[in-house]
Amino acid sequence: FNMESIPYSTFLSYVKQEKVENLKISQQEISGIYKEKQSATQEFKEKRFKTIRIDDPELTNKLQEHKIEFEGVQEDTVGKTIISWIIW
């Protein structure tokens, strides 16, 4: 699957436009799906995205205000540690 990296400001814009769904929030990043309108067909195409998480105390309120479903996830620190050992 193809995951696009977007700036946090773009993510917030998508939240305000209610274009995002299936959000997974970890300590480091936020990932999910955003819906992009296709100009030719006027249909929505879903794209996977991720963004670096910024300390934003109001984020959960913003998501709830726009009725966007989200969940917290733990990162696989063990896997990252093993990979860093192999690379080192």
Side-chain angles (χ1 to χ4, degrees):
F1 62 91
N2 191 10
M3 186 174 294
E4 179 181 353
S5 290
I6 62 171
Y8 189 79
S9 58
T10 301
F11 164 70
L12 288 180
S13 175
Y14 289 165
V15 168
K16 289 178 186 174
Q17 297 172 49
E18 298 180 356
K19 288 184 172 184
V20 294
E21 58 186 33
N22 297 334
L23 296 184
K24 299 198 181 344
I25 303 173
S26 73
Q27 288 186 321
Q28 301 293 322
E29 71 179 23
I30 300 169
S31 62
I33 295 172
Y34 74 90
K35 296 172 267 185
E36 184 176 67
K37 196 172 203 175
Q38 303 299 301
S39 57
T41 62
Q42 297 297 311
E43 293 180 5
F44 285 97
K45 182 178 180 181
E46 293 185 346
K47 293 188 173 187
R48 298 187 55 76
F49 77 91
K50 66 179 177 179
T51 189
I52 301 296
R53 183 177 175 189
I54 294 176
D55 186 22
D56 182 352
E58 293 296 312
L59 179 59
T60 55
N61 291 337
K62 292 172 190 171
L63 296 176
Q64 289 173 336
E65 179 182 322
H66 293 284
K67 297 176 178 47
I68 296 170
E69 192 173 310
F70 63 96
E71 65 179 294
V73 295
Q74 288 186 336
E75 294 186 23
D76 179 13
T77 55
V78 174
K80 288 182 180 180
T81 302
I82 291 172
I83 289 171
S84 70
W85 288 341
I86 292 170
I87 293 172
W88 195 77

